[in-house]
Amino acid sequence: MATQPQDIQELMRRREYSAGFITSIESETIAPGLSEDVVRMISARKQEPEWLLDFRLKAYRRWLKMEQPKWAHVHYPQIDYQAISYYSQPKSHKDGPKSLDEVDPKLLETYKKLGIPLKEQEMLAGVAMDVVFDSVSVATTFRKKLGEAGVIFCSISEAVREYPELVRKYMGSVVPFGDNFYAALNSAVFTDGSFVFIPKGVRCPMELSTYFRINERNTGQFERTLIVAEEGAYVSYLEGCTAPQRDENQLHAAVVELVALDDAQIKYSTVQNWYPGDEEGRGGIYNFVTKRADCRGRRSKVSWTQVETGSAITWKYPSCILRGDDSVGEFYSVALTHHRQQADTGTKMIHVGKNTRSTIVSKGISAGHGQQSYRGLVRVLESAENARNHTQCDSLLIGDQCGAHTFPYTEVRNPSARLEHEATTSKIAEDQLYYCRARGISEEEAVSMIVNGFCKEVFKELPMEFAVEAGKLLAVSLEGSVG
Amino acid sequence: MSLAAYTEGFEQFAAGLPAGQRSARREHYERFLKAGFPTPKIEEWHYTDLAPLGERRFSPAAEGGAVPTAALLAGADRLVYVNGKLDQAHSTAAARHGENPLLTDGDSVTALNAAFATGGLSLRLSRNERLPRPLQVLTVGVAGNAPAMVHQRHRIELGENAEATVLFQFLGQGAERLTSHVVEVELAPGARLTLYRVQDEHADATLLTRIDATLRRDSRLETVAVDCGAGLVRHDFNVALAEPGAEVALAGLYQPAPGGHVDNQTRIVHAAPHCRSREQFKGIIDAKAKAIFVGKVIVQPGAQKTDSEQRVANLLLSRKAEVNAKPELEIYADDVKCAHGATVGQLDDKALEYLRSRGIAADAARALLLRAFGAEVLDQLAIPALRDRLAVRMGLAVEDIFEETVGETAE
Amino acid sequence: MLEVKGLHARVEGKDILKGLDLTVRAGEVHAIMGPNGSGKSTTAHVLAGREGYEVTAGSVLFDGKNLLELEPEKRACEGIFLGFQYPVEIPGVSNLTLLKAALNARRKYRGQPEIEATDFLAWVRDRAKLVKIDPKMLSRGVNEGFSGGEKKRNEILQMLILEPRLMILDETDSGLDIDALKIVADGINALRSPERATILVTHYQRLLDYVQPDYVHVLAGGRMVRSGGPELARELEEKGYGWLEAA
């Protein structure tokens, strides 16, 4: 009973991007284009202090001299940076909601569609959330409870106003304004994002979470997230991303900076489901993100866990600089490319301190015409006595039109280091599918089961409720991939 | 970058060529001039910077010199080149020398080679022909009056089911030199080639080699590459598995001498279904040495049932040493079995302890373990005289170790 | 229950089945024997619906339904179970996950609610005892790292849990030592009932000492060349298959 080509076409049509709706909300969006004036205007609108305007302008001037990176294994037309609007905010937001009750009900409806009922979340799930819609942060739940613990969780704009010294001390200290092309662009025009500060000795009493959504046409989203965990602090943070279905490509260039001091631990999880474009590759988000953690403190630990199923193009390498002695960096990733999606993703582990350890587990799944690359760097500096790394990098192929690539860089300058790298590539075998079907399981479910089994090592690193969500997301993203 | 000195050298070289060849050579040279020497900005040259060569002044090597007769292998046919010149007296297979076509195009280094190349091995075996003995191609670089350049082109063409064993040996002595060798290999269906590449360059030398092999149906290429010199060395090994059933096995052992820099780049393209590739590289990096291994396996669309495995293991033994490894996979077909593994580590402490507890001195125990590590590759070299000589040269000879051990434990 | 008439099937361009007839009624055990390459496994896979097995003529009715129109998973949900000659390994997917998905697919097909997690585990544990499989093994990947005998026992375990109506066992006995063979036979006998039927595809008579068949068929050249009672199996064991081909 071969699945015939027309069945596949049917499945393709059935495959809907469930987050692909557009919310009609009156928005205030500035005209497309980028100049020093635009940078000044963004800063002025946000009533920013002089030092931050300086930071933006320096970044902008540096960006003008930089070139878009070409080394990644992805192909896309030249981006016209003058055709993008760099600021958009829902109009009703102007005065800023004081509480969730004041948030535009249509916005709340949007989040409901996304499966994030804020109120319910507040009451039941125990997850505190910040929501960034296009460019501005619209609601932060659970402030009170967090405040009692001394945890600061707010939008980065608010943090600039309320905690300028903290922001000034840490912003740009992990990802400098001129770090790379996209980071420089972000530093110049970032509009919002989340700020988290966990003071010394505090274990954040709940999971923190941010949902990002791009809604307006022709807008870019440039959010900036900064998380600081002081000595002995712990936080688990999750971000989710969606965007409406649109024919044109939209740009998302975020920067995430994490700072972990002595004995601090940060767990950062991402479920990225930006609109991937249609099966012909029309539309979809360009996701060019710089994420880096600075394990400054001794015995500090940062874990990146990511499930990347969306975006037309993903360019992303969540990294750890293991500066503190005995610090630990982890990277667990599942990336899926289907249709015409392209992903070049991986991590960098820079071992600086003594006895630093890193673990990398990367699972890539390619279907349709998807192209997927793992790109990773493990660098052991001369100072990193007894550094250890283990890398496991597996690819699963579904169909003969896709590609899976592995580019692991290993650079070692200390003779006490031990590094291991293993990579395999395999396909879902027809006999595996037949075996499941002979037990009564449908082909789609069998694929989803096998893929979930392939990703198990990564899913177990996600907070429980998101692990389930991630599994479902994979199943939806793979619909129509077998035949 | 000023390449004026090279242009001067080229004009001088071109003047000595038959008129009909000049324009083709000039085209190659122009390509080199346009691209210049590769810098780390080019991904393939991330770890080896040749830009400083641009500032040097090399001229095409004028004269030959003495042959280190100890390097001549008994039991093998020989072609001997000194500074790129055929040494008739020591060559027993001079008939295998010849001018070769300048087919291989590629990066600027290949263009430079094509502009200046002189002849080299020109081995053509017809259907079912078999070389009775290994063929040693010994190239020796010796000090001349001025920094010299040597560029050679070699070609191996095996007809259907033909068989041969060829050894390329690059030895260097004396002063500053720039040497490049390009070897083109064509294997017809069913042909078998065993290729050895041994490098022992001098500290002041730069050696650039490139082997491009195309394998037809069911042909097989086996290679063992050994590096133990101190120079700046870059090897490119490109293999195209062009038709079903072709197989390649690359093995390598690199142990750069103090100050040495060895950059091994392999690139295997699976262009047809049912081909097999194996790579096993081992590195011992000590005392101020730098080693690079970048292995790329590309599985093209339609190359189903590809079976590919790549292993690279490095021992990093000194604080002044550096190792970089990058085993890459690029896969565009789905029914494939591809794996790679890379490690960087040290000698096993537990094994060392164990050996010492049995009365073996620390140094000897260390040497024994190194020998075991290197032997996996070295033992694949099926010319015993050469293998043993290399083992001694690299401090991996078992006999030496035991003599020392006995000596030390007797105290 | 099962009615196969004039079945012709082709695999990779080769005609394997050339007019196969077989009628199986509820409560019966049929053994299909025959030399290698006679089409025994092909018959099993055509009944289970394997892709690439092309039926060129004939019909297969299961409880009056045209089986050939159904996808493999629908056939399984209808109550057909194929015990594989070479059970497939699926790394990362645990046996429990597979079993639960299979059980629930069947229940959904029949309009029943999904099984409760605790009931499911209790049921699996109970059944695992019958085939002497350590329940801990079931948390491992499907057949991953199982020995040949363990894989076959695992097939029987799946069958015991899913409780099919028509069991087709494709050389489940091959490669088993006598103890494992007995366990497998016990499993098959445990499911024997007036509502169920069994087709044993086998090369050897050995299994039939433990699972008494009602009918024995000899398949050669893609069709049944002889049918009879249990005594036919013994005859084959003594004389081999050569005399059939000569006839």
Side-chain angles (χ1 to χ4, degrees):
Chain A
M1 296 298 105
T3 310
Q4 298 305 311
Q6 57 266 40
D7 297 340
I8 298 170
Q9 293 306 317
E10 181 53 36
L11 282 171
M12 294 286 199
R13 269 195 297 280
R14 279 214 318 260
R15 184 207 166 183
E16 278 173 38
Y17 177 69
S18 60
F21 53 86
I22 299 160
T23 309
S24 42
I25 286 179
E26 266 195 274
S27 297
E28 193 178 322
T29 303
I30 63 164
L34 184 53
S35 64
E36 222 171 280
D37 287 344
V38 169
V39 175
R40 284 179 193 282
M41 195 220 66
I42 292 170
S43 188
R45 287 241 174 150
K46 300 179 86 65
Q47 298 162 2
E48 286 175 355
E50 195 62 28
W51 66 264
L52 192 49
L53 176 62
D54 267 5
F55 178 85
R56 288 177 182 277
L57 289 173
K58 269 194 274 181
Y60 176 70
R61 287 167 197 149
R62 176 71 65 89
W63 179 75
L64 284 176
K65 292 191 199 118
M66 296 172 99
E67 270 178 49
Q68 207 167 299
K70 292 191 183 71
W71 42 262
H73 199 87
V74 292
H75 305 280
Y76 52 92
Q78 183 67 37
I79 297 173
D80 181 358
Y81 291 92
Q82 296 304 332
I84 296 169
S85 168
Y86 289 85
Y87 191 76
S88 166
Q89 70 167 14
K91 260 188 185 158
S92 53
H93 179 69
K94 252 187 178 164
D95 304 316
K98 303 278 181 297
S99 75
L100 274 182
D101 300 329
E102 289 177 31
V103 171
D104 187 329
K106 271 195 194 152
L107 260 184
L108 293 181
E109 188 60 30
T110 302
Y111 296 125
K112 238 174 233 154
K113 279 194 212 165
L114 289 169
I116 328 158
L118 286 166
K119 292 206 140 183
E120 278 171 52
Q121 207 115 27
E122 184 165 15
M123 303 207 286
L124 300 171
V127 176
M129 330 242 231
D130 188 20
V131 180
V132 177
F133 194 87
D134 283 338
S135 300
V136 288
S137 177
V138 292
T140 306
T141 56
F142 264 112
R143 310 201 61 163
K144 199 157 158 258
K145 192 164 174 201
L146 289 170
E148 281 162 13
V151 172
I152 301 171
F153 179 35
C154 63
S155 75
I156 200 105
S157 322
E158 191 180 341
V160 169
R161 290 195 301 273
E162 305 291 325
Y163 315 98
E165 287 317 307
L166 275 179
V167 176
R168 193 173 182 178
K169 181 171 173 192
Y170 290 107
M171 189 192 281
S173 74
V174 184
V175 179
F177 63 82
D179 189 80
N180 66 69
F181 183 81
Y182 301 114
L185 178 63
N186 174 288
S187 300
V189 303
F190 74 92
T191 36
D192 222 326
S194 292
F195 175 71
V196 177
F197 179 82
I198 318 286
K200 199 169 169 175
V202 171
R203 197 183 160 86
C204 186
M206 62 190 71
E207 303 267 350
L208 302 183
S209 174
T210 298
Y211 262 80
F212 293 104
R213 177 156 178 93
I214 299 176
N215 195 54
E216 278 305 300
R217 192 176 288 276
N218 294 326
T219 55
Q221 181 151 325
F222 305 94
E223 84 268 0
R224 197 163 179 111
T225 296
L226 173 60
I227 299 179
V228 179
E230 282 198 333
E231 291 84 349
Y234 168 87
V235 63
S236 169
Y237 179 92
L238 183 121
E239 64 172 2
C241 320
T242 61
Q245 217 159 327
R246 295 202 185 272
D247 289 343
E248 77 271 22
N249 297 105
Q250 282 174 291
L251 179 64
H252 173 251
V255 169
V256 175
E257 296 178 280
L258 311 185
V259 178
L261 303 185
D262 286 2
D263 299 297
Q265 197 179 335
I266 302 175
K267 205 172 151 55
Y268 193 107
S269 313
T270 303
V271 175
Q272 184 263 108
N273 186 28
W274 295 121
Y275 178 55
D278 65 11
E279 63 264 39
E280 297 304 322
R282 281 182 297 258
I285 301 289
Y286 290 165
N287 190 32
F288 302 140
V289 172
T290 305
K291 291 184 165 177
R292 194 174 301 153
D294 188 352
C295 292
R296 267 175 221 185
R298 299 166 66 99
R299 296 171 301 277
S300 58
K301 177 177 176 183
V302 168
S303 304
W304 296 102
T305 304
Q306 59 173 25
V307 176
E308 304 275 323
T309 59
S311 297
I313 295 173
T314 299
W315 180 100
K316 172 178 175 191
Y317 316 92
S319 306
C320 295
I321 301 167
L322 301 168
R323 210 184 294 275
D325 290 351
D326 302 291
S327 60
V328 176
E330 294 176 337
F331 174 75
Y332 299 96
S333 170
V334 166
L336 179 148
T337 48
H338 190 197
H339 299 315
R340 305 276 169 174
Q341 280 176 275
Q342 306 174 56
D344 193 300
T345 183
T347 184
K348 291 184 203 171
M349 294 290 176
I350 314 292
H351 291 258
V352 184
K354 295 186 179 64
N355 305 315
T356 46
R357 279 177 294 141
S358 61
T359 302
I360 299 170
V361 177
S362 164
K363 304 278 179 175
I365 302 153
S366 242
H369 288 85
Q371 291 294 330
Q372 166 120 204
S373 305
Y374 166 80
R375 188 181 302 277
L377 166 67
V378 178
R379 179 181 284 154
V380 177
L381 301 189
E382 243 185 294
S383 53
E385 214 59 44
N386 290 315
R388 297 287 178 267
N389 164 268
H390 181 81
T391 300
Q392 177 70 42
C393 195
D394 299 319
S395 305
L396 188 67
L397 297 156
I398 305 173
D400 59 0
Q401 301 294 310
C402 54
H405 320 301
T406 318
F407 306 98
Y409 297 67
T410 306
E411 303 177 358
V412 187
R413 290 173 189 223
N414 184 300
S416 60
R418 276 182 202 271
L419 282 73
E420 293 160 356
H421 171 98
E422 279 297 326
T424 64
T425 301
S426 55
K427 64 175 268 187
I428 293 188
E430 261 165 47
D431 60 350
Q432 290 176 333
L433 286 180
Y434 171 53
Y435 188 75
C436 292
R437 295 178 75 189
R439 297 290 171 263
I441 298 162
S442 73
E443 193 163 19
E444 301 251 314
E445 195 183 345
V447 169
S448 150
M449 239 167 59
I450 293 169
V451 167
N452 271 292
F454 175 75
C455 300
K456 210 156 62 180
E457 279 169 274
V458 174
F459 286 172
K460 74 175 170 41
E461 298 297 324
L462 283 171
M464 183 71 108
E465 59 272 36
F466 296 111
V468 176
E469 186 181 324
K472 284 185 190 150
L473 199 52
L474 279 192
V476 170
S477 305
L478 274 174
E479 262 174 37
S481 63
V482 273
Chain B
M1 189 190 301
S2 143
L3 296 169
Y6 291 86
T7 304
E8 229 171 86
F10 178 75
E11 296 304 342
Q12 195 187 326
F13 173 74
L17 287 171
Q21 281 188 23
R22 283 180 203 152
S23 71
R25 295 290 191 140
R26 190 169 298 281
E27 270 175 42
H28 289 299
Y29 185 73
E30 297 290 338
R31 260 191 326 110
F32 163 71
L33 207 57
K34 199 171 162 214
F37 279 105
T39 71
K41 279 194 179 158
I42 298 168
E43 187 59 28
E44 288 75 17
W45 292 85
H46 193 71
Y47 297 106
T48 298
D49 187 3
L50 293 188
L53 288 178
E55 309 302 327
R56 313 301 306 163
R57 189 178 186 88
F58 295 104
S59 29
E63 272 321 307
V67 173
T69 47
L72 301 174
L73 280 178
D77 288 320
R78 293 187 303 264
L79 266 183
V80 180
Y81 298 92
V82 180
N83 284 357
K85 309 280 182 300
L86 181 69
D87 183 295
Q88 294 279 358
H90 294 94
S91 298
T92 59
R96 302 284 188 199
H97 169 81
E99 295 294 321
N100 288 305
L102 304 167
L103 300 180
T104 305
D105 212 332
D107 57 10
S108 60
V109 169
T110 319
L112 177 69
N113 175 282
F116 287 98
T118 55
L121 170 67
S122 185
L123 176 64
R124 284 180 177 76
L125 296 189
S126 51
R127 198 173 163 192
N128 298 330
E129 199 180 343
R130 195 164 167 268
L131 273 192
R133 278 178 297 279
L135 178 58
Q136 180 186 25
V137 180
L138 178 65
T139 77
V140 185
V142 298
N145 296 328
M149 256 190 334
V150 172
H151 303 281
Q152 283 187 268
R153 282 266 164 160
H154 310 274
R155 186 168 174 84
I156 299 172
E157 249 182 78
L158 301 192
E160 272 177 48
N161 299 317
E163 281 181 46
T165 297
V166 177
L167 158 68
F168 279 97
Q169 212 170 350
F170 305 107
L171 292 185
Q173 308 169 337
E176 194 177 353
R177 269 176 294 105
L178 168 61
T179 307
S180 81
H181 291 270
V182 174
V183 185
E184 288 164 8
V185 177
E186 285 272 358
L187 300 186
R192 297 265 184 284
L193 175 66
T194 304
L195 189 65
Y196 300 129
R197 186 190 71 202
V198 174
Q199 174 270 122
D200 195 346
E201 256 301 355
H202 185 265
D204 294 326
T206 300
L207 171 69
L208 311 167
T209 81
R210 173 173 172 144
I211 300 174
D212 280 32
T214 305
L215 276 65
R216 302 291 163 193
R217 187 175 289 270
D218 300 324
S219 62
R220 184 175 166 83
L221 171 65
E222 262 180 72
T223 75
V224 181
V226 179
D227 285 287
C228 51
L232 172 65
V233 178
R234 157 79 173 216
H235 297 300
D236 282 277
F237 210 131
N238 301 318
V239 180
L241 300 167
E243 292 179 4
E247 274 191 43
V248 62
L250 306 182
L253 175 64
Y254 44 91
Q255 186 183 21
H261 172 119
V262 174
D263 182 349
N264 262 296
Q265 305 260 336
T266 69
R267 182 185 165 95
I268 298 178
V269 179
H270 282 260
H274 296 283
C275 292
R276 188 170 189 268
S277 62
R278 288 289 178 274
E279 278 181 274
Q280 183 189 29
F281 277 78
K282 296 204 150 194
I284 301 173
I285 304 100
D286 203 343
K288 261 188 152 173
K290 183 170 170 180
I292 296 112
F293 174 82
V294 176
K296 189 170 217 162
V297 174
I298 300 170
V299 179
Q300 290 188 345
Q304 301 292 25
K305 305 286 176 194
T306 285
D307 178 358
S308 163
E309 193 179 305
Q310 187 186 68
R311 298 276 147 206
V312 51
N314 290 291
L315 290 178
L316 187 63
L317 302 176
S318 158
R319 189 164 282 282
K320 298 272 180 255
E322 179 182 337
V323 63
N324 303 298
K326 185 154 73 105
E328 303 183 344
L329 284 170
E330 256 185 67
I331 300 171
Y332 300 91
D334 66 333
D335 193 0
V336 299
K337 220 168 71 190
C338 293
H340 68 217
T343 62
V344 178
Q346 299 74 44
L347 289 174
D348 184 352
D349 283 342
K350 286 197 194 93
L352 271 178
E353 280 306 304
Y354 181 80
L355 290 173
R356 292 179 72 185
S357 77
R358 294 292 172 270
I360 298 168
D363 281 358
R366 197 164 168 262
L368 264 179
L369 292 178
L370 282 178
R371 159 71 196 166
F373 179 83
E376 263 189 278
V377 170
L378 214 47
D379 288 354
Q380 294 179 43
L381 230 164
I383 305 177
L386 177 65
R387 183 189 60 212
D388 297 346
R389 210 174 288 166
L390 283 169
V392 172
R393 163 79 176 91
M394 297 169 87
L396 301 174
V398 171
E399 300 73 27
D400 288 2
I401 296 165
F402 276 110
E403 272 162 33
E404 276 172 37
T405 312
V406 172
E408 284 173 33
T409 47
E411 282 171 23
Chain C
M1 180 182 270
L2 181 75
E3 197 143 357
V4 181
K5 275 192 188 150
L7 189 64
H8 285 70
R10 181 180 288 179
V11 183
E12 287 175 1
K14 251 200 243 158
D15 291 315
I16 308 284
L17 299 185
K18 301 165 186 166
L20 183 105
D21 297 307
L22 178 67
T23 303
V24 179
R25 283 171 293 267
E28 294 176 351
V29 174
H30 289 245
I32 299 179
M33 304 183 70
N36 288 327
S38 60
K40 298 192 304 285
S41 281
T42 303
T43 307
H45 287 301
V46 166
L47 293 178
R50 180 165 210 158
E51 285 179 18
Y53 285 58
E54 189 193 346
V55 174
T56 49
S59 65
V60 179
L61 296 179
F62 183 62
D63 285 342
K65 277 187 201 164
N66 180 359
L67 198 63
L68 300 177
E69 277 182 350
L70 297 179
E71 310 238 326
E73 58 266 35
K74 297 283 185 296
R75 300 182 194 199
C77 291
E78 284 285 339
I80 291 180
F81 180 92
L82 172 64
F84 282 60
Q85 183 181 4
Y86 304 109
V88 178
E89 295 191 16
I90 312 178
V93 176
S94 79
N95 287 282
L96 285 175
T97 306
L98 176 87
L99 283 169
K100 199 168 173 199
L103 203 57
N104 281 330
R106 199 157 308 223
R107 293 171 73 98
K108 195 174 157 197
Y109 189 75
R110 296 195 200 123
Q112 296 167 331
E114 295 203 346
I115 189 168
E116 289 287 331
T118 47
D119 295 347
F120 169 70
L121 285 175
W123 176 236
V124 170
R125 260 190 226 115
D126 176 69
R127 302 271 102 176
K129 259 185 253 159
L130 287 177
V131 285
K132 301 200 167 62
I133 285 185
D134 182 351
K136 272 186 217 137
M137 274 177 72
L138 299 176
S139 309
R140 293 184 2 210
V142 174
N143 293 317
E144 202 184 354
F146 284 27
S147 69
E150 284 169 341
K151 282 182 184 170
K152 295 294 176 71
R153 274 189 281 151
N154 196 26
E155 293 292 289
I156 299 300
L157 172 63
Q158 291 179 12
M159 187 176 85
L160 288 169
I161 287 167
L162 299 174
E163 300 186 298
R165 289 190 304 129
L166 175 63
M167 307 174 264
I168 305 166
L169 298 168
D170 185 10
E171 307 220 10
T172 304
D173 53 329
S174 58
L176 293 184
D177 60 34
I178 196 72
D179 293 329
L181 184 72
K182 277 183 195 158
I183 291 171
V184 163
D186 288 348
I188 299 169
N189 288 325
L191 278 186
R192 264 182 105 153
S193 83
E195 296 81 43
R196 294 203 178 91
T198 307
I199 299 173
L200 302 171
V201 175
T202 180
H203 189 71
Y204 308 102
Q205 183 259 346
R206 202 173 56 145
L207 175 66
L208 307 183
D209 288 342
Y210 300 95
V211 185
Q212 186 79 26
D214 301 302
Y215 298 94
V216 174
H217 309 275
V218 180
L219 183 62
R223 50 202 297 191
M224 299 301 192
V225 293
R226 270 195 67 182
S227 292
E231 72 289 345
L232 180 56
R234 277 187 288 277
E235 204 179 329
L236 287 170
E237 184 77 2
E238 278 160 30
K239 300 189 188 166
Y241 293 107
W243 61 277
L244 280 170
E245 277 150 33

